[in-house]
Amino acid sequence: MYDQLQAIADRYEELGELLSDPAVVSDTKRFMELSKEEANTRETVATYRRYKEVVQGIADAEELLGENLDAEMAELAKEELSDLKKEKEVLEDTIKILLLPKDPNDDKNIIMEIRGAAGGDEAALFAGDLFNMYQRYAESQGWRVEVMDANITGIGGYKEVIMMITGDNVFSKLKYESGAHRVQRVPSTESQGRIHTSTATVVVMPEAEEVELDLADKDIRVDIYHASGAGGQHVNKTASAVRLTHLPTGIVVAMQDERSQLKNREKAMKVLRARVYDQLQHEAQSEYDANRKSAVGTGDRSERIRTYNFPQNRVTDHRIGLTIQKLDQILAGKLDEIIDALVLYDQTSKLEELQNG
């Protein structure tokens, strides 16, 4: 492990020199790649350097205790030794996590699709709540949200909303959100005060760059048609809506949010590329079918990753058995507690696999 850490530290030093080389600075693509590599290793190197300092501090404190010290100095040395040994344990655990194989998609932007599923109008309203929740969380992270397409219901919910979230390490934090989300509450339309259960599904896909996934023109069928707006809005005199069909996979993306055919086509291509990339990645795994079913689900009430219970102000993530009595805060975008717990669970599982493997 320490040979690996030293190699990373050596590479980090080399990257520092390369990034100040005029030849590299003038090559934008290479400069960006090396800057990204340096940023990805910065925390590991800083932790390793501190670890070396702590190990040296322990050796110094033990050597000092071997000398003839007065009682007060000996007590101070013992306290310092105890503190350093505790810090060494923490740093060792941190280093193990930092050395885990990284998901190559972690630093990517995402395309998120939220759909009302089981529960009719109430499911669509809940999809809107989830959309607002993720928007607020993105704002708290300093990310940018762009709504790519939205199908709004008459009462203000969403049958479907597609958005792109751009920023630092978006996928690493939101990749655990894919699945069926269940809500339990009394709908505003319920006169008897009965609690209803509804679901909305969330799909999180890493943005796929053209260099990563080149979709051949011959594999895409393009259909152009007139957009249909709600309640007479966005009446199109020209055909601006675009439907793209990826023939090899059968994946279809329709986009009509913009008045410009070109803009709709650009957005549709981004979503199509993400969906195809997502499917190809899953197919590369032998357990593709099982993974896809558990990750996204069908929107049925029984296939859930999380429940939002309004009467008890409670949110439960069923995958890790986490229950938080802060539903109002969670829906206000304060998702850190849940996301941090999911990240820790994932890291712990991977560590156990490595140790047992």
Side-chain angles (χ1 to χ4, degrees):
M1 183 169 82
Y2 301 107
D3 289 344
Q4 187 181 352
L5 284 166
Q6 190 55 54
I8 293 170
D10 292 343
R11 174 61 177 165
Y12 186 78
E13 293 292 332
E14 183 188 359
L15 287 167
E17 292 172 13
L18 285 168
L19 288 168
S20 59
D21 183 337
V24 173
V25 174
S26 62
D27 184 344
T28 307
K29 187 169 181 288
R30 187 158 184 239
F31 183 79
M32 292 293 287
E33 285 172 356
L34 294 177
S35 296
K36 191 172 170 182
E37 186 184 346
E38 190 223 29
N40 286 340
T41 55
R42 193 177 299 145
E43 187 183 355
T44 304
V45 172
T47 307
Y48 175 51
R49 284 174 179 167
R50 178 58 190 159
Y51 179 80
K52 288 201 293 184
E53 288 171 6
V54 168
V55 169
Q56 185 59 52
I58 289 171
D60 292 344
E62 286 175 339
E63 187 181 336
L64 193 62
L65 280 168
E67 298 174 6
N68 291 324
L69 301 173
D70 61 45
E72 188 179 349
M73 283 295 291
E75 190 59 36
L76 284 171
K78 281 178 185 174
E79 279 183 27
E80 184 183 5
L81 183 61
S82 174
D83 289 345
L84 287 169
K85 283 184 173 177
K86 285 175 187 171
E87 187 179 355
K88 180 172 177 276
E89 285 182 17
V90 171
L91 287 168
E92 283 173 344
D93 288 342
T94 303
I95 285 167
K96 284 175 188 173
I97 288 169
L98 288 168
L99 289 179
L100 283 172
K102 284 190 168 52
D103 185 331
N105 294 318
D106 272 354
D107 59 352
K108 289 186 177 179
N109 302 322
I110 67 159
I111 288 173
M112 176 182 277
E113 302 180 353
I114 305 171
R115 294 179 179 86
D121 284 344
E122 174 62 11
L125 286 171
F126 179 50
D129 292 337
L130 293 177
F131 167 66
N132 291 328
M133 176 181 80
Y134 291 122
Q135 253 195 329
R136 288 166 185 154
Y137 177 69
E139 285 168 12
S140 75
Q141 299 296 306
W143 298 336
R144 179 172 170 267
V145 176
E146 178 193 359
V147 176
M148 304 186 78
D149 198 28
N151 186 342
I152 304 171
T153 63
I155 58 169
Y158 288 90
K159 286 183 181 175
E160 176 186 56
V161 58
I162 302 172
M163 58 181 164
M164 185 166 184
I165 305 178
T166 56
D168 294 332
N169 302 307
V170 181
F171 186 76
S172 71
K173 293 189 175 181
L174 290 179
K175 62 184 175 183
Y176 307 104
E177 295 304 299
S178 285
H181 297 240
R182 181 174 75 161
V183 64
Q184 294 172 323
R185 64 183 173 190
V186 179
S188 55
T189 54
E190 170 57 60
S191 57
Q192 303 296 318
R194 289 174 298 191
I195 294 171
H196 285 227
T197 298
S198 307
T199 56
T201 57
V202 176
V203 180
V204 176
M205 300 172 290
E207 182 190 15
E209 302 288 346
E210 285 184 55
V211 291
E212 294 171 306
L213 185 66
D214 183 22
L215 298 181
D217 290 343
K218 67 179 177 61
D219 289 338
I220 301 171
R221 188 178 74 232
V222 181
D223 297 308
I224 309 296
Y225 58 99
H226 288 267
S228 55
Q233 296 172 10
H234 307 303
V235 175
N236 274 278
K237 292 178 181 172
T238 57
S240 61
V242 175
R243 185 188 300 108
L244 302 181
T245 305
H246 186 243
L247 300 173
T249 60
I251 292 171
V252 179
V253 176
M255 198 68 62
Q256 63 172 37
D257 200 51
E258 300 284 349
R259 293 174 188 272
S260 155
Q261 185 189 123
L262 182 63
K263 285 183 179 176
N264 280 327
R265 185 166 180 157
E266 284 174 3
K267 283 185 174 183
M269 272 303 294
K270 278 188 179 180
V271 175
L272 182 66
R273 193 176 287 113
R275 286 185 186 170
V276 173
Y277 181 74
D278 184 57
Q279 179 162 317
L280 293 175
Q281 279 200 310
H282 279 84
E283 285 176 346
Q285 302 170 22
S286 58
E287 64 276 303
Y288 166 71
D289 287 331
N291 270 3
R292 196 62 180 163
K293 193 168 189 294
S294 62
V296 181
T298 59
D300 188 81
R301 290 182 180 88
S302 62
E303 297 178 4
R304 62 191 186 277
I305 62 165
R306 195 175 296 150
T307 295
Y308 304 73
N309 183 293
F310 274 70
Q312 297 174 26
N313 196 38
R314 185 186 73 222
V315 176
T316 300
D317 195 290
H318 305 287
R319 295 163 295 180
I320 56 176
L322 175 71
T323 295
I324 303 173
Q325 303 288 151
K326 301 174 186 173
L327 171 63
D328 50 341
Q329 293 180 38
I330 298 296
L331 288 177
K334 294 177 181 176
L335 286 169
D336 287 317
E337 193 173 343
I338 291 180
I339 287 171
D340 289 348
L342 287 162
V343 169
L344 182 62
Y345 179 83
D346 191 30
Q347 289 172 339
T348 305
S349 301
K350 285 174 181 171
L351 271 175
E352 286 174 358
E353 281 176 27
L354 280 177
Q355 287 161 358
N356 297 333

